[in-house]
Amino acid sequence: MGEGVLTGPATADVAALLADAGLERRGGSLVMAGVPLSAVADSVGTPAYVYNADAIRARYAELDRALAPVPHRICYAVKANANLAVLRVLRDLGAGADIVSAGELARALAAGFPGDRVVFSGVGKSADELRAAADAGVGHVNVESFEELELLGAVAAEGRRMIPVGIRVNPDVTTDTHPYISTGKSGIKFGVPTDQVLPAARFIASHPQLELTSIAMHLGSQLTDTEPFREGIGRLLALVGEIRTAGITTIRVLDVGGGLGIRYGAEAPMDPAAFAAAIVPLVQGSGLTLYVEPGRFLVGSAGVLLASVLYRKHSGGKSFVVVDAGMNDLVRPSHYHAYHEIVELETAGRDVVRVDVVGPVCETGDFLALDRPLPALERGERIAVLGAGAYGFVMASNYNTRRRPPEVIVQGGRFAVARPREEPDALFRGENPTPLD
Ligand SMILES: Cc1ncc(COP(=O)(O)O)c(C=O)c1O
C-alpha cells in the first residue's frame, strides 16, 4: 500500500520508482525525459511540480493494450491531476474524462474533451452542476442516491433534454487501502446500495427524459489486488441481469471505476496485464462496453515535486532537514501518512543519515518523511519527491498564505511551464480589509 506507511519499507525499490517516472541518472544528475531536473529547478525555482508527458502516454498505452480484447474507454479521473496540459495529453490519446464537479467539467471542456466523452461522478452534485452537465451533453451522469436521481429527472424535464444516466452502485466490497480512500464498502457515503438499484433503474426507465445507460462502481484508490474488482464486477453483472429481466434493456456500459495502485515504495503496483486478465473474461459476453476511471495509475508515477533544503537542525536527539515544500504543497504524507520516496537531484556521495524531512508550515504534522535514511543533504541542495503526479498539486492549498507551486511538463528533451507559480497578490485578490465601511 502507498498509504499509512509513512516510515516506509526498509528498502524502497528506487530503481523501479525512477523507471516508473521515466527518470534516469546521468553523471549523478536526475534526468526526466531528457531534461535535467536541476535545469527545471534553476529556471522555475522550488518548490515545483514536474510531470513527464512521455511517462503518462506510456501508462495509458499499457492499459489500453491490456484492455484491447473488450470494447472499452479509459476515462481519466481528472481529480488526480487537473492541469490542462496533462488533460490535453490524455485527450489526445483518446481518453475520456471522469469528473466530479462543475469546475472539473469546465477544465475537461477547456482541455478539449468532447462532452460525450465525459462521465460525471460524485456523491454531492448540486442542481447547477447537473444542469451544466446536461448543457455539456456529458456521456452519462453517475447518480449516487435516489434524491439525486429525482433532482436529475427534474433538471432533464426543465430543459426537455435526454440525460444518459449511470447508477453508481455500492457493491459492498472490502479493499485493502487507507480508510479515507476506500469507497466501495457498505456503511460509507458512496454509491447506491444494491437493494435500491432496481427501484432506481425503474425510476429512470419510467422517466421520459432519462435513459439508464451504465452501471458503475468505484471501490477505492491505490488498490493493488485484482480480487475486489472481480468481486465487484460479479455483483454489478448480477444487477445488470436483474435489471434486464425487469425489461430494462438500455444498459450499454459497465463502469468499474478507478483505483489502480502504483508503486510508492517497495510494493508491487497493479499490473495492467494482470488487471485485464482478471476482469476481461467477466466482461466478455456481457455485450457491455467496459469503462475504467484511473487517475493515480496514469499520472501518479509520472510526477515529482522538487524542493530545496533550507536548513538543517538537531533537536531532542533527532535530525531535521527543513525544505521549502510543505504540507500545503503536498498534503499526502500528513493527511494519509503516505510514503513518498525522496532522492537527490544531484548525487554527492555522502553518508546516509536518518532525518525527518519537514516543511515550513507551522504544524508539527507538516512533513514529507519521518525517520528516513537519506544522504546527508546540505543547505541549498535539492531533492525530488517521487510519486507526486497524482493528488499532489490538486490538493495544494494556500495555508500559511503560501503560494501554490508551478507545474512544469516535460517531454522529449524539452520542458515548459504549464502553470506558473501563484503571484503574491493572488493570495488576497478580491479581499477587502474594510468590507463593513
Ligand atoms: C468515481 C471515481 N472514479 C475514479 C477515481 C480515481 O481513483 P484513482 O486515482 O485511485 O484511480 C476516483 C477517486 O476518488 C473516484 O472517486
Side-chain angles (χ1 to χ4, degrees):
M1 287 198 320
E3 318 291 351
V5 286
L6 186 68
T7 48
T11 50
D13 190 345
V14 180
L17 285 163
L18 294 181
D20 290 346
L23 286 163
E24 55 178 329
R25 289 263 176 218
R26 282 192 206 154
S29 297
L30 204 55
V31 175
M32 176 183 268
V35 175
L37 289 179
S38 48
V40 178
D42 289 345
S43 169
V44 302
T46 56
Y49 279 97
V50 190
Y51 311 129
N52 182 349
D54 292 339
I56 295 171
R57 290 191 186 96
R59 272 298 165 100
Y60 182 91
E62 217 185 330
L63 185 58
D64 197 35
R65 255 196 321 273
L67 297 176
V70 280
H72 67 275
R73 174 168 286 165
I74 299 172
C75 293
Y76 168 61
V78 171
K79 66 174 76 65
N81 183 327
N83 185 283
L84 291 189
V86 169
L87 296 183
R88 178 59 69 91
V89 167
L90 287 154
R91 183 214 71 158
D92 287 351
L93 292 168
D98 168 62
I99 58 149
V100 290
S101 69
E104 287 191 355
L105 174 61
R107 277 184 176 277
L109 297 176
F113 284 93
D116 64 0
R117 266 204 253 151
V118 174
V119 175
F120 198 173
S121 307
V123 74
K125 308 174 202 79
S126 69
D128 282 347
E129 289 183 310
L130 294 174
R131 278 188 202 104
D135 290 345
V138 300
H140 64 263
V141 176
N142 274 332
V143 294
E144 298 216 22
S145 65
F146 221 99
E147 291 193 356
E148 183 192 356
L149 185 51
E150 287 169 343
L151 178 59
L152 186 65
V155 165
E158 82 194 7
R160 292 199 188 79
R161 55 200 153 194
M162 283 303 294
I163 301 182
V165 189
I167 301 174
R168 172 167 172 189
V169 178
N170 181 325
D172 194 15
V173 168
T174 305
T175 51
D176 178 22
T177 192
H178 191 285
Y180 288 3
I181 51 173
S182 171
T183 57
K185 187 78 192 138
S186 140
I188 49 124
K189 70 177 178 176
F190 293 103
V192 175
T194 47
D195 60 342
Q196 295 170 28
V197 171
L198 190 54
R202 288 206 167 102
F203 177 93
I204 297 166
S206 68
H207 192 295
Q209 273 115 3
L210 298 180
E211 184 183 32
L212 179 63
T213 61
S214 171
I215 289 288
M217 67 178 188
H218 171 69
L219 298 177
S221 202
Q222 187 53 15
L223 309 179
T224 51
D225 180 11
T226 55
E227 196 43 41
F229 283 97
R230 287 179 56 80
E231 215 181 303
I233 290 171
R235 292 192 190 163
L236 292 192
L237 288 174
L239 288 166
V240 171
E242 276 178 46
I243 293 167
R244 284 176 171 163
T245 305
I248 302 164
T249 56
T250 48
I251 299 174
R252 300 187 282 274
V253 170
L254 187 76
D255 180 347
V256 302
L260 286 74
I262 62 171
R263 183 181 353 252
Y264 284 103
E267 69 275 67
M270 182 69 88
D271 169 31
F275 175 70
I279 71 165
V280 161
L282 302 179
V283 183
Q284 269 168 337
S286 69
L288 300 171
T289 298
L290 173 68
Y291 275 31
V292 288
E293 301 170 354
R296 188 189 308 264
F297 176 81
L298 294 175
V299 296
S301 300
V304 298
L305 174 63
L306 306 183
S308 299
V309 176
L310 295 173
Y311 309 108
R312 295 157 308 160
K313 62 189 279 185
H314 303 278
S315 176
K318 292 179 64 172
S319 296
F320 296 88
V321 173
V322 185
V323 298
D324 60 1
M327 64 189 290
N328 73 295
D329 301 298
L330 179 67
V331 78
R332 298 188 70 262
S334 304
H335 187 56
Y336 305 113
H337 278 197
Y339 180 91
H340 283 267
E341 186 61 20
I342 295 176
V343 295
E344 302 156 286
L345 240 51
E346 310 278 347
T347 51
R350 298 210 191 88
D351 288 345
V352 168
V353 289
R354 280 195 172 267
V355 292
D356 285 6
V357 181
V358 299
V361 171
C362 297
E363 300 247 359
T364 304
D366 174 32
F367 46 73
L368 296 176
L370 295 181
D371 197 27
R372 182 75 61 87
L374 281 179
L377 294 156
E378 298 198 348
R379 286 184 71 187
E381 290 182 344
R382 294 174 300 201
I383 57 169
V385 182
L386 304 186
Y391 306 106
F393 182 89
V394 284
M395 294 178 87
S397 77
N398 294 123
Y399 186 38
N400 279 200
T401 306
R402 287 168 50 80
R403 296 189 279 161
R404 283 179 297 168
E407 294 176 283
V408 173
I409 192 148
V410 174
Q411 74 177 28
R414 293 193 309 128
F415 73 92
V417 175
R419 177 186 170 113
R421 189 180 306 285
E422 219 161 22
E423 293 295 335
D425 66 353
L427 291 167
F428 46 88
R429 190 174 292 143
E431 289 180 37
N432 179 354
T434 54
L436 295 172
D437 286 359

